[in-house]
Amino acid sequence: FMGTGKSAVGARCARMLGYAFHDSDAWIEARAGETIPALFARTGEAEFRRLEREAIAELSAESNVVLATGGGAVLDPENVARLRASGPVILLTAAPETLWRRVRGRTGRPLLTGLDDPRARLLELLAERAPRYAQAAHAQVDTTRLSLHEAACLVVARYLQLETSSDGTLEQE
């Protein structure tokens, strides 16, 4: 979800593992030639979700990569299936008040832009998506009280635990 630290923690995890790092939102911006807010304003959410599906299909097919997705990627079952098939999915969470503190006043959040009560919308989106996040993830790391380094260390540790079972296959929960 927005404000959990997906991009920053993901980039740090990739460095720690010696993997490439990709952010699906950055891929979309590069492909579209405009920012996510501009894309939303020009074409709407449906076009953004189509590009997000393309990004996840392409980026999840790579090996040795940490992929940070947008918070709405789990709304598409095809995205979830691709992500889970490509390796362990680690969900970053944070307390709602922490999320609000991290995102309020920041530009680039089209789902919160132009609203009378963006905090209420953030809480609504979080409540709507929480069950899908839980179903998509192999594991969770709560970043509420963690530094960037602490969060990345926990994610990498959980990833390494999940990566292989005793017979070398991906553990499924």
Side-chain angles (χ1 to χ4, degrees), residues 62-79:
E62 294 183 23
S63 298
N64 299 324
V65 64
V66 173
L67 173 58
T69 68
V74 298
L75 302 175
D76 185 333
E78 185 178 314
N79 289 340

Side-chain angles (χ1 to χ4, degrees), residues 11-100:
R12 176 75 60 98
C13 290
R15 282 193 302 277
M16 292 169 73
L17 291 164
Y19 287 3
F21 173 72
H22 295 295
D23 183 306
S24 63
D25 284 350
W27 184 99
I28 292 166
E29 288 182 338
R31 190 64 53 101
E34 59 189 333
T35 66
I36 301 294
L39 178 66
F40 258 76
R42 188 175 60 77
T43 66
E45 186 174 359
E47 175 63 7
F48 171 78
R49 297 295 173 206
R50 185 189 70 74
L51 289 169
E52 182 175 60
R53 192 174 313 107
E54 284 182 22
I56 290 171
E58 181 177 314
L59 298 171
S60 67
E62 294 183 23
S63 298
N64 299 324
V65 64
V66 173
L67 173 58
T69 68
V74 298
L75 302 175
D76 185 333
E78 185 178 314
N79 289 340
V80 173
R82 281 193 168 120
L83 291 167
R84 286 185 61 91
S86 71
V89 175
I90 312 288
L91 169 65
L92 300 185
T93 63
E97 286 308 313
T98 299
L99 296 172
W100 175 242

Side-chain angles (χ1 to χ4, degrees), residues 92-115:
L92 300 185
T93 63
E97 286 308 313
T98 299
L99 296 172
W100 175 242
R101 183 177 43 79
R102 290 175 181 172
V103 304
R104 74 172 173 232
R106 297 179 113 195
T107 59
R109 304 285 180 187
L111 295 177
L112 301 179
T113 301
L115 302 175

